[in-house]
Every structure is written in C-alpha cells, then in structure tokens.
Amino acid sequence: MPFFGQDWRSPGQSWVKTEDGWKKTTKDENETNNSVSERKSYCKEEHDKENLILGINYDVAAKKRKKDFLNNNTKIPYFHKDKWIYVHKGSTKERHGYCTLGEAFNRLDFCSAIKDTRRFNYVVRLLELIAKSQLPSLSGVAQKNYMNILERVVQKVLEDQQNVRPIKELLQTLYASLCSLVQDMGKSVLVGNINIWVHRMENILQWQQQLDNIQINRPTNTGMTFLDLPASLQLNIMHRLSDGRDLVSLGQVCPDLTVLSEDRLLWKKLCQYHFTDRQIRKRLMMSEKGHLEWKKMYFKLCRCYPHKEQYSDTLQFCTHCHILFWKDTDHPCTANNPESCCKAVSPQGFINLFKF
C-alpha cells in the first residue's frame, strides 16, 4: 500500500511539480519557490488588473466615440428606408402589436421623397399636418427624424429657390405649435429635455430668417421667357395654376400680366375646381355692375372651406394586404388584381390610418 503522507525519514524535503517534472526540494527551497511564485502571481494579477482597466477604458472610449458620432451626424437618419410597411391595428397570430404614426414616419423613406419633385409637396403637407396636431404623439426618435427631414427640406428650398412660401408657412405653423407645447412641458407633452426643444425653436427662427433673406437669382440663359409668349398662351398657362396666390404673384411681374391675372373666367374655373356648387352658392359676392366677384369669392371660400389638394405622386394603401407604399414601388400583394385594391392616400388620410 503506497504511503501518501510526509515521509518522516527525510524531514524537510518534499516533492514539487515543475515544468520539467517532479523534483525533490528542501523546506528552504520550497519557501523560496513559494515566495517567487507568489511574486509572479502578484505581478500577474496586477498585470491582469491593468489590462482589465485598460480594456474597460477602451470600451468606454469606444462607446463615447460611437455616441459622439451619432450625435454629430444627426442629419443622417439611421432609421429604416422601406418602400412599404404593413399597417396593422391589432395583434394577430402572425403579428403582435400595432403600427403607430411615429413608426410609419420613421420606416418610410421620406428623406428620398423630398428629393423627388413629384413627392415634395406631399411630404411638406404631411409635415404641416403633423406640426399642427400630431407632434406630441410621435416618439422621441420620430420627433428627431421629423426635425432632420425638416432641415433637409429647408436646405433644398434654399438651394433650388423654389417653394419658398409653403415652407415659410410650415415653419410658422411648427413654431406656433411648439410655443404652446413647450409651456406644457411639465405634462410630458413632448419627449426630451426642454433645452433641446428651445434649441430647435432657435433653429426654426434661423431658418425663417434665411428664407426671408433669400435672393432669387435670374436665369443666365438668354432664351425665350414667359413674357415673350403670346397673351393667349400666357393665359392658357395661368389656367394650369391651382393656387390663387400664385396668380396674384404672377400678376405683380408686369402690367400686361396684371391684366391677365384679373380675368374673371380664370378665377371662376379656379373656384369651381376647389369648391362645390353648394359652397359657392353660400358665398356669392356681387359687384356694383351685377357681376360675380370670382376673385374675392375664391379667397373668401379658402378661409371658410379647405381647398382641393392635388399631388403628382402620393402614398398608396392596399386594402387587401393592408400595406402602405409609394406609388412607383411594388409591394408583396397576394390579390388577383392588385391595382383594383390600391387607393391613393392623402396626407390627412395618412394620419387617419393610425387613429385607433
């Protein structure tokens, strides 16, 4: 039977396992080796602690750089850029939860939509409706995305020098809404610190000042202009305008266009295009000569009733698969005739889709 205890016949000696194998050492050598190993282990622990601290500092620095990168690049939305989304208002076996207005606003590619002239007015109108009543319903991420898109819209207008008036109205509406909402900040109306929203309001005032100081550059080409066209052709083009304010602005260019912009038939068709016969009959205005004042009636009707909205490209909603998508993009529809299931969605209709 082997003896596992300390050998009494050789006191002070013991077997120690080393890298080269088992060695027999005395007590003094054993204490020396133990002290050396303790020093080595202590140094190793200190080295490990130092590496751990360096690793933690590196992770913290990496996270800080990532956070600074996201904060410094707020103009670049880091959201989805889907061409279509599934609008579900309740939980099913296949899908849980529901789609909100903020989620749809984040996922649909509105950043690319503002670059398309066909969709620009549609997005601006949607931003205006959200600014009037739906801004508190957006999440913090959606509100940040809203301000990013708005900044891109302003930069596009400053570069192209077009659509200045609707953007001014949008900024004025948004600023008025924020003034009333910031007063109720203690009621959790808006997401985020109040200083952030004060800074955003200062940006809105700065954008308004930039739009007020914009200088429209004259075209450099020397070709034919609108004033060189015959009067009949000029009047025909003016019949294509759907906003009476554009006609007033056009009439201020020169005396000849002033006469054309006062054409009664022009304003009559404009009234009939935007308003119903019943609405027109309620707001009849006669001149001293017994003629209808169509121009005055138009602006009076605009104050009383919403005018007709027309867009070159809009969002589409498939009633069969409940998918919201842009008009020129396809979506995974399972209907036999997908075109019959799609209907155009106005900006107000887009908001109504998410009212549960």
Side-chain angles (χ1 to χ4, degrees):
M1 185 175 190
F3 180 75
F4 293 103
Q6 186 178 3
D7 190 358
W8 60 272
R9 290 169 297 184
S10 56
Q13 294 180 347
S14 60
W15 290 94
V16 179
K17 186 176 182 180
T18 64
E19 296 179 355
D20 299 332
W22 290 89
K23 289 185 179 182
K24 190 175 183 180
T25 60
T26 61
K27 183 177 180 181
D28 296 336
E29 293 176 354
N30 191 20
E31 291 177 354
T32 304
N33 293 333
N34 290 337
S35 63
V36 172
S37 61
E38 288 177 358
R39 285 195 299 269
K40 288 183 179 180
S41 62
Y42 175 78
C43 295
K44 184 177 180 182
E45 290 177 359
E46 291 295 327
H47 182 70
D48 294 340
K49 289 181 180 179
E50 183 178 358
N51 290 338
L52 180 61
I53 294 174
L54 292 176
I56 294 175
N57 293 336
Y58 177 79
D59 294 338
V60 173
K63 291 180 180 179
K64 186 176 184 301
R65 285 196 300 269
K66 184 177 180 181
K67 183 178 180 180
D68 294 340
F69 175 79
L70 294 177
N71 291 336
N72 294 332
N73 292 274
T74 53
K75 298 178 183 179
I76 304 175
Y78 46 92
F79 312 109
H80 301 278
K81 293 185 178 180
D82 301 338
K83 299 297 182 182
W84 57 268
I85 60 171
Y86 180 80
V87 181
H88 50 288
K89 298 184 178 181
S91 299
T92 61
K93 293 182 178 180
E94 295 80 11
R95 293 180 180 270
H96 295 279
Y98 56 92
C99 184
T100 62
L101 176 62
E103 182 182 357
F105 188 77
N106 286 338
R107 294 180 59 187
L108 287 174
D109 193 7
F110 286 104
C111 292
S112 300
I114 61 177
K115 300 178 183 178
D116 193 341
T117 55
R118 301 172 302 170
R119 302 175 181 174
F120 182 82
N121 292 330
Y122 183 89
V123 177
V124 170
R125 178 57 178 168
L126 180 60
L127 294 176
E128 184 179 1
L129 292 177
I130 292 176
K132 287 182 178 180
S133 60
Q134 299 300 320
L135 194 60
S137 64
L138 300 181
S139 62
V141 178
Q143 291 175 0
K144 184 177 181 180
N145 190 24
Y146 179 92
M147 299 303 298
N148 290 333
I149 295 177
L150 180 60
E151 183 175 1
R152 291 195 175 195
V153 169
V154 175
Q155 294 299 328
K156 177 177 172 54
V157 172
L158 293 175
E159 293 174 1
D160 300 343
Q161 298 182 345
Q162 297 179 1
N163 302 306
V164 178
R165 186 182 64 246
I167 304 305
K168 284 184 178 181
E169 296 175 352
L170 169 60
L171 294 178
Q172 185 177 1
T173 302
L174 178 60
Y175 187 81
S177 299
L178 290 179
C179 287
S180 60
L181 293 175
V182 168
Q183 296 176 358
D184 300 331
M185 183 63 70
K187 300 178 182 179
S188 301
V189 178
L190 293 174
V191 180
N193 192 289
I194 187 173
N195 296 325
I196 297 177
W197 286 102
V198 171
H199 177 69
R200 290 172 177 174
M201 293 174 67
E202 293 175 354
N203 290 337
I204 294 174
L205 293 177
Q206 184 179 0
W207 295 337
Q208 288 179 331
Q209 185 177 2
Q210 292 177 355
L211 293 176
D212 292 335
N213 298 332
I214 190 173
Q215 298 292 332
I216 305 299
N217 299 326
R218 291 183 176 273
T220 56
N221 56 351
T222 58
M224 180 176 294
T225 63
F226 182 76
L227 299 177
D228 299 330
L229 298 175
S232 59
L233 190 55
Q234 291 176 350
L235 186 60
N236 190 11
I237 295 175
M238 294 172 72
H239 275 279
R240 301 295 188 273
L241 299 178
S242 60
D243 195 337
R245 294 172 295 180
D246 294 333
L247 292 175
V248 175
S249 300
L250 188 59
Q252 297 174 354
V253 175
C254 65
D256 294 336
L257 292 179
T258 303
V259 177
L260 292 178
S261 64
E262 297 294 334
D263 184 70
R264 294 180 60 254
L265 182 60
L266 179 66
W267 291 98
K268 177 182 178 180
K269 290 185 176 180
L270 197 60
C271 290
Q272 292 175 347
Y273 173 77
H274 286 287
F275 310 103
T276 62
D277 295 338
R278 183 179 180 181
Q279 293 173 345
I280 293 175
R281 287 195 298 267
K282 289 184 178 181
R283 306 294 175 180
L284 293 178
M285 298 179 66
M286 305 294 295
S287 64
E288 296 179 355
K289 298 181 180 180
H291 302 296
L292 290 174
E293 294 285 353
W294 289 104
K295 182 178 179 179
K296 295 181 179 180
M297 288 171 54
Y298 170 79
F299 289 105
K300 188 174 182 180
L301 289 167
C302 288
R303 292 191 296 267
C304 299
Y305 308 103
H307 59 82
K308 183 179 180 181
E309 297 180 0
Q310 185 177 6
Y311 305 98
S312 301
D313 192 6
T314 64
L315 287 170
Q316 302 284 318
F317 182 72
C318 181
T319 57
H320 177 76
C321 50
H322 300 280
I323 286 180
L324 191 65
F325 62 98
W326 288 106
K327 186 177 181 180
D328 58 348
T329 58
D330 297 328
H331 71 285
C333 186
T334 58
N336 296 327
N337 189 9
E339 295 181 358
S340 61
C341 303
C342 298
K343 63 177 183 179
V345 179
S346 63
Q348 184 61 50
F350 175 84
I351 296 177
N352 294 336
L353 282 175
F354 305 98
K355 289 184 178 180
F356 305 121

